[in-house]
Amino acid sequence: MSTRRRRADGGVAYLDVQGTLRERTVDALRDRTLRGNLDTAAASWGEGREGMRRDHGLDEMRERAREIRQSNIRNLPALLAEMQANVRDAGGTVVRAADGAEACRYITGLAKARGVKVVAKSKSMATEEIKLNEALDDAGIEVVETDLGEWILQLANEHPSHIIAPAVHLNREQVAALFREEAGTDDVPDDREGLVAHARVRLREKFAAAGIGVSGVNLGVASTGTICVVENEGNARLVTSQPRIHVAVMGMERVVADWDEAAHILQVLPMAAIGQDAANYVNLITGPRREGEADGPEEFHLVIIDGGRGALRGTEFEEALACIRCGACLYSCPMWRSVGGQAYGSPYSGPIGAVITPLLEGPSSPASRDLPFMSSLCGACGEACPVGIPLQDLLVRARARASSPATRKSGIAFRAWSRLWRRPATYRAWMAGWRLMLRARGRNGWVTELPGPGAGWTEVRDMPARWPPRR
Amino acid sequence: MSTAPDQAGVLDLLLASLARRKATAQVVDRAEAGRATARWMADAGVARAVVASDQVVEEIGLVDALRREGIDVLMWPTGLGSREALGLEGPLDVCGVTVPALAVAERGTLVLEASGGHGRGIDVTSRHHVALLPADRVVRTLSEALALTYADGRTPPSAVSLVSGPSRSSDIEKISTLGAHGALTEHVVVMS
Ligand code: SF4
């Protein structure tokens, strides 16, 4: 991980991402293995999801989920204050960080003050967003991702390609090769069970050595000051129970009012995310170990991150704050399914990533210019979203907001074109000229090369030489 | 904590849900529970049991039954070092024995509360997990379970684990593989 460079402005896009969005997309499209892996993943998600709709009424649960999250966002300041007070009552420490840099400073400072050398992490998009791994690495502290998929990526020196299934773009052989390299031996099995068992032992060594466990937070429950960490592997439980200190990193929007709301969201989340009616482990943590308890961390720190979220309240993008990071919109998106998450070059990919990355990064970043256009606006994402975020509308708004010189230029061209086509006389003259040009350039009934701005079209498709085309 | 009128229906639902979660279960009479649990663990090849210090464990005489099967018993808190607690040293076939506060029939979920005698990590650090569940602790929905756990006026436990089946990962090729970090097997002994 030491190969990464820190970006001065602290934006959320990955710094070691190479090339432009277009180049990354083209590379991804050429990668046949990647396509195969993504197809398998999306198909298995689709199957699970159908089951949830059929047997567990997922569609009916959406409306309530939407209402809960909308009301959470409306009452956010009060809920956060309540959460904060209750965590403190339970013996925990709460830190509000305005941005990623501030959060990283706090956590690295804590690690240094307590003499911690190894930090064990469970999967968390918020820590990806604030680039905690780089910060700890720079401070000379070893960070180990303990979620199997995240650990695989850490070994490959790559970034997650999916919110829930980070290593979904790699296959078994690729994983086995990485494990052999890490262990420095060929004595690593090839089958899935063997690979999982191998990782279990290697990572237990890290749990035994870690002084701090860092987890994310799926939900904070304000009424009791409890954090919910949802997972399937059991590593988040080890992270939150084994090391002496537990640090939980939470995006400020992830809070619900009470247990009635939490119960609903905790059921919707795994249904939408993995097509299961329950996650294997949900860890509900209210402060550190109490007197008389033999295990659990002595210290509990909750780091609540703003990172540009607070400013979205009351704007046309407010609804994006309702997101519970289930990843359903990614799997449902034909763009994401074609190129995977890494082409996006930001921690959050897919439709929700295309909406929030520009918002969290500010209007002048490359992500703001390009990412809102990573969508066909087919609307599959909005349909898949379990909390009813109208992603396609937000994407359109994000496009309107993207104000690069390139789009401004094409704005002028479109206005001129619209003026020409609005008058019958100029329209007819345009069409007559167009027909002549097509016929002059046509070979065997097809035009394969157009001049000027038309070149972009004929680069990938031909155009009939007669208009309207004849059969 | 609660006894619903249609407890039998709820129990059937729980058993079906547990099967769906790839957990195994047996329903036994309370008087037989200690012996039956010890028998199951011996058959599973368990060498050491890490047992929650709970009233229910005492009532069914589990410790004596386990010792009779030749299983080494450590009561919680065990006093083991972190490497041995994680299974890196000592016997491999360790079984954590928990006593859930509640179970959710609809989802096949066990509600484990941390307390002085019940560790946060008993079930995940071990290779096997056996849960001793009194039948009257089964509720239908997760909402009911959480409402009871976090009822007004009750101090919320420092940690509650909702456990729904053995540990698994789908991180390699999206195919579910058991035994990632937590227990490889989960067996629920329902005591009627
Ligand atoms: S936007 Fe909706 S579908 Fe996408 S990750 Fe968030 S909650 Fe899930």
Side-chain angles (χ1 to χ4, degrees):
Chain A
M1 303 256 124
S2 47
T3 53
R4 297 184 191 166
R5 284 166 294 115
R6 171 74 37 78
R7 209 175 81 178
D9 63 3
V12 295
Y14 288 124
L15 4 149
D16 55 344
V17 168
Q18 304 293 319
T20 63
L21 178 63
R22 193 189 175 87
E23 286 159 2
R24 291 195 301 272
T25 309
V26 171
D27 282 350
L29 286 171
R30 291 209 175 107
D31 186 340
R32 273 168 194 278
T33 319
L34 175 68
R35 289 297 295 278
N37 298 349
L38 290 173
D39 282 347
T40 319
S44 109
W45 172 82
E47 237 169 72
R49 184 181 174 84
E50 267 321 297
M52 290 302 109
R53 299 175 67 173
R54 196 181 53 233
D55 305 334
H56 294 283
L58 176 57
D59 292 341
E60 292 72 50
M61 295 174 84
R62 272 181 63 177
E63 193 43 41
R64 167 114 208 274
R66 198 184 79 89
E67 279 162 19
I68 291 172
R69 291 299 291 144
Q70 298 294 332
S71 111
N72 297 155
I73 301 309
R74 266 197 313 278
N75 302 322
L76 194 55
L79 291 179
L80 284 170
E82 192 185 350
M83 175 89 200
Q84 201 162 325
N86 283 326
V87 172
R88 286 189 179 139
D89 277 354
T93 308
V94 183
V95 185
R96 295 285 291 268
D99 57 21
E102 199 181 325
C104 288
R105 261 200 310 280
Y106 179 77
I107 299 167
T108 47
L110 181 70
K112 282 188 178 156
R114 303 289 191 275
V116 169
K117 301 268 174 325
V118 181
V119 170
K121 277 184 69 202
S122 62
K123 211 186 115 43
S124 144
M125 291 309 294
T127 58
E128 259 317 301
E129 174 188 326
I130 66 173
K131 300 191 196 70
L132 180 61
N133 289 18
E134 284 96 327
L136 288 167
D137 199 52
D138 287 352
I141 297 159
E142 182 187 353
V143 196
V144 186
E145 295 286 354
T146 62
D147 171 90
L148 184 55
E150 292 280 352
W151 190 54
I152 292 169
L153 290 188
Q154 191 177 26
L155 298 180
N157 212 352
E158 283 182 21
H159 299 294
S161 70
H162 187 274
I163 295 176
I164 303 291
V168 72
H169 58 293
L170 298 171
N171 63 28
R172 188 183 355 153
E173 287 77 27
Q174 291 167 316
V175 172
L178 288 167
F179 283 8
R180 290 198 181 104
E181 204 183 310
E182 189 270 340
T185 161
D186 275 348
D187 193 22
V188 174
D190 256 331
D191 59 310
R192 264 188 310 273
E193 279 77 15
L195 289 170
V196 171
H198 171 85
R200 177 186 171 105
V201 175
R202 297 295 294 184
L203 288 169
R204 263 171 158 63
E205 295 283 353
K206 302 296 182 183
F207 281 118
I212 291 184
V214 173
S215 77
V217 176
N218 292 88
L219 282 184
V221 185
S223 65
T224 55
T226 306
I227 61 156
C228 313
V229 185
V230 181
E231 51 145 354
N232 280 318
E233 296 182 359
N235 64 310
R237 179 102 73 82
L238 292 169
V239 159
T240 58
S241 68
Q242 301 302 307
R244 215 167 52 71
I245 302 166
H246 172 201
V247 177
V249 181
M250 176 174 103
M252 73 184 285
E253 80 287 11
R254 308 298 281 275
V255 54
V256 297
D258 55 29
W259 284 99
D260 192 41
E261 293 187 355
H264 192 76
I265 301 293
L266 285 175
Q267 292 177 85
V268 168
L269 178 60
M271 289 187 188
I274 52 170
Q276 296 276 342
D277 65 327
N280 279 42
Y281 298 101
V282 181
N283 308 292
L284 311 173
I285 292 150
T286 315
R289 166 206 299 188
R290 306 245 170 95
E291 217 169 289
E293 293 180 359
D295 70 347
E298 289 156 25
E299 295 178 39
F300 172 72
H301 301 253
L302 176 63
V303 181
I304 303 176
I305 293 169
D306 184 311
R309 292 164 168 82
L312 296 182
R313 290 184 67 237
T315 70
E316 56 178 352
F317 294 104
E318 184 180 71
E319 279 164 300
L321 292 174
C323 175
I324 55 171
R325 305 277 189 268
C326 71
C329 58
L330 277 61
Y331 281 133
S332 76
C333 174
M335 291 279 186
W336 186 90
R337 282 206 305 264
S338 307
V339 300
Q342 291 178 327
Y344 288 74
S346 56
Y348 304 109
S349 65
I352 187 65
V355 170
I356 61 168
T357 307
L359 296 172
L360 301 183
E361 280 223 329
S364 59
S365 79
S368 303
R369 229 161 27 234
D370 298 340
L371 280 183
F373 297 90
M374 278 290 275
S375 161
S376 64
L377 297 181
C378 68
C381 48
E383 213 166 284
C385 179
V387 295
I389 301 175
L391 284 157
Q392 63 280 16
D393 298 344
L394 297 186
L395 280 163
V396 171
R397 282 173 217 159
R399 288 184 181 192
R401 183 175 173 271
S403 63
S404 72
T407 49
R408 272 204 298 277
K409 221 193 301 163
S410 74
I412 295 167
F414 273 111
R415 268 195 297 279
W417 186 15
S418 132
R419 209 165 301 148
L420 276 172
W421 280 35
R422 253 191 313 233
R423 294 159 202 252
T426 45
Y427 172 77
R428 276 191 211 106
W430 171 288
M431 288 314 276
W434 185 247
R435 275 197 206 97
L436 279 174
M437 193 271 294
L438 285 183
R439 214 165 304 165
R441 293 194 151 253
R443 299 279 174 276
N444 303 326
W446 291 96
V447 177
T448 55
E449 227 186 312
L450 282 172
W457 176 278
T458 46
E459 203 182 306
V460 283
R461 332 166 179 72
D462 294 339
M463 186 170 256
R466 281 179 177 280
W467 200 260
R470 291 196 187 144
R471 303 219 163 214
Chain B
M1 283 193 208
S2 86
T3 315
D6 65 335
Q7 203 62 21
V10 172
L11 191 55
D12 286 342
L13 183 59
L14 175 72
L15 294 175
S17 302
L18 285 171
R20 194 153 42 84
R21 305 244 86 93
K22 302 219 161 50
T24 54
Q26 66 187 127
V27 183
V28 295
D29 207 71
R30 205 172 246 265
E32 282 300 300
R35 210 189 45 81
T37 306
R39 184 75 257 150
W40 186 91
M41 281 163 66
D43 287 346
V46 169
R48 171 188 282 173
V50 173
V51 184
S53 304
D54 190 286
Q55 185 100 42
V56 170
V57 172
E58 256 171 63
E59 279 166 22
I60 64 168
L62 180 66
V63 174
D64 288 339
L66 287 171
R67 295 218 166 104
R68 272 198 298 276
E69 295 284 356
I71 295 171
D72 174 28
V73 180
L74 294 178
M75 296 306 286
W76 191 266
T78 59
L80 293 176
S82 74
R83 291 183 58 82
E84 188 156 7
L86 283 163
L88 289 166
E89 288 162 10
L92 188 63
D93 278 301
V94 177
C95 180
V97 179
T98 64
V99 182
L102 293 166
V104 179
E106 236 178 35
R107 309 269 177 247
T109 300
L110 306 173
V111 182
L112 305 179
E113 289 185 5
S115 67
H118 203 308
R120 293 190 188 203
I122 296 187
D123 61 307
V124 267
T125 47
S126 307
R127 196 177 164 88
H128 308 280
H129 173 202
V130 164
L132 304 172
L133 178 69
D136 60 359
R137 296 189 183 182
V138 185
V139 297
R140 183 175 287 275
T141 67
L142 182 64
S143 306
E144 285 170 66
L146 292 176
L148 289 167
T149 307
Y150 294 96
D152 284 346
R154 183 177 191 243
T155 308
S158 67
V160 174
S161 307
L162 308 179
V163 179
S164 310
S167 159
R168 85 190 129 84
S169 169
S170 302
D171 278 343
I172 303 177
E173 299 181 338
K174 253 333 242 158
I175 294 169
S176 178
T177 310
L178 294 185
H181 288 274
L184 211 83
T185 57
E186 178 188 312
H187 184 67
V188 182
V189 180
V190 183
M191 301 183 294
S192 54

